[in-house]
Amino acid sequence: MSSKRLYDTLLKEAEAAESEGEWREAANKHLQAVAKAPSVWIPHRWQAFLNYSNMWQQHSLKMTTAEWKILKKIAKKQEEPVLFRCKALYLRGFIQLKAGEMEDAAMYFRRALHTMKEVTPSENMKKINLTMGGTQVLLSARDQLFATLKPMIDEHLDFLEHPQNVDAAVLHSVPQVGGQPDPSIVKRLTVGGSECDACHKSRTDVEDILQRCSRCKRAYYCSTACQQRQWSAGHHAACFTPDEIQPDDYLVLKGLQRRPELNGKVVQIQHPAKDGRWAVSIRGQSKTLSIAPRNLVHIRPAM
């Protein structure tokens, strides 16, 4: 079967599955069509990518390993249009966001914004046929990239990077200072990367993506010089590996199945418990909880 015939077959199979309400099958066929397309700008390829994205988000589909690999390949392949690469990065970020992996989500969103800088004038002029509300419309790739995709990414990053967006229930679990949640801890609940942790230069002022500490993956720097300066200034004492936990540390609960209402709340490590678990305390509760290490996530380091 020729690549064009395979592409057309996948699109028809996706449409048939969609008409039957088989969203998992339809989404898979749409993404397979994107991956198997004989050319990057073949008609209906962007529509298929949008259909996949919409189905995944609207129907809470579970991401498969194969789909994750396809998105990774699209995001990294230089032959792909910037529009497709950015959409793949956005989806990878959205997947991480839904999984509670805030730092990784922000990383993918920032990579998408950085990749947008590579768009060429010829790609900006590309016209794409889309079906919207049952009507065929002709839109530019530039509009899809900067008027549709970029605002969604900016909105997610704005939410992740700013302390005022921390959930009220989570704030209630933060230790108090003067009757208010400790601002030093609240700031550490947001993701890093909006500015250099040493010189405080914003990510919009840096031509490249801020470098992330390879050990804790929670500290960000605009240069090696800033990273070395911050290490000497105190990051060496505050840095930790993801699985390194000590008494008195503040961490966040994640992935609890029996007590999902506690996910996201700040806890303080008290002491080791049985079976490799940790006894933790939550503000306002008299009893400690026994929590497995996999359900504990570090907040950003103090330095």
Side-chain angles (χ1 to χ4, degrees), residues 260-280:
E261 72 279 5
L262 296 180
N263 288 327
K265 292 196 173 184
V266 177
V267 298
Q268 187 174 27
I269 303 297
Q270 297 300 312
H271 54 78
K274 294 180 179 180
D275 302 322
R277 300 165 73 89
W278 288 94
V280 306

Side-chain angles (χ1 to χ4, degrees), residues 10-205:
L10 288 168
L11 289 179
K12 290 178 181 178
E13 290 175 347
E15 185 178 351
E18 190 173 348
S19 67
E20 296 294 328
E22 298 290 343
W23 307 117
R24 172 71 275 172
E25 180 68 10
N28 179 59
K29 294 296 184 181
H30 278 302
L31 189 59
Q32 286 291 327
V34 174
K36 302 292 185 181
S39 63
V40 294
W41 286 114
I42 191 171
H44 311 301
R45 186 174 185 245
W46 179 243
Q47 180 78 67
F49 208 5
L50 288 183
N51 288 346
Y52 169 78
S53 174
N54 292 337
M55 288 177 192
W56 191 89
Q57 295 178 70
Q58 293 173 8
H59 300 285
S60 301
L61 302 178
K62 185 177 180 180
M63 177 66 57
T64 66
T65 301
E67 289 171 329
W68 182 259
K69 288 181 178 179
I70 290 174
L71 292 178
K72 180 179 180 180
K73 184 176 181 180
I74 292 173
K76 294 180 68 175
K77 193 173 182 180
Q78 290 297 315
E79 292 80 8
E80 284 284 357
V82 168
L83 177 60
F84 284 79
R85 290 165 59 199
C86 289
K87 183 66 171 180
L89 286 165
Y90 166 76
L91 284 173
R92 298 186 81 192
F94 189 83
I95 291 163
Q96 296 292 67
L97 184 63
K98 287 296 184 181
E101 300 291 347
M102 305 304 183
E103 293 283 343
D104 287 340
M107 177 189 69
Y108 284 119
F109 292 146
R110 293 187 191 112
R111 284 184 182 175
L113 292 180
H114 184 70
T115 301
M116 287 181 186
K117 299 177 182 179
E118 300 176 19
V119 68
T120 62
S122 61
E123 180 174 334
N124 275 334
M125 297 300 292
K126 285 285 185 181
K127 297 296 182 180
I128 305 172
N129 277 303
L130 290 178
T131 301
M132 303 179 66
T135 304
Q136 288 284 332
V137 295
L138 189 64
L139 299 174
S140 70
R142 178 179 176 80
D143 285 343
Q144 288 292 286
L145 188 62
F146 293 104
T148 302
L149 186 56
K150 186 177 184 298
M152 291 192 298
I153 295 173
D154 287 337
E155 182 179 357
H156 285 311
L157 280 175
D158 181 69
F159 175 81
L160 290 169
E161 292 176 347
H162 291 86
Q164 62 264 33
N165 292 323
V166 177
D167 186 84
V170 174
L171 286 177
H172 183 73
S173 68
V174 175
Q176 302 282 298
V177 173
Q180 296 293 326
D182 186 338
S184 66
I185 294 180
V186 172
K187 184 176 181 179
R188 291 163 60 195
L189 289 173
T190 60
V191 301
S194 61
E195 64 178 22
C196 174
D197 287 330
C199 71
H200 304 293
K201 184 183 293 183
S202 73
R203 62 177 171 83
T204 57
D205 294 330

Side-chain angles (χ1 to χ4, degrees), residues 246-265:
Q246 300 289 338
D248 297 328
D249 284 350
Y250 288 107
L251 290 92
V252 172
L253 295 175
K254 168 194 164 185
L256 295 177
Q257 300 295 322
R258 295 183 178 179
R259 299 288 301 277
E261 72 279 5
L262 296 180
N263 288 327
K265 292 196 173 184

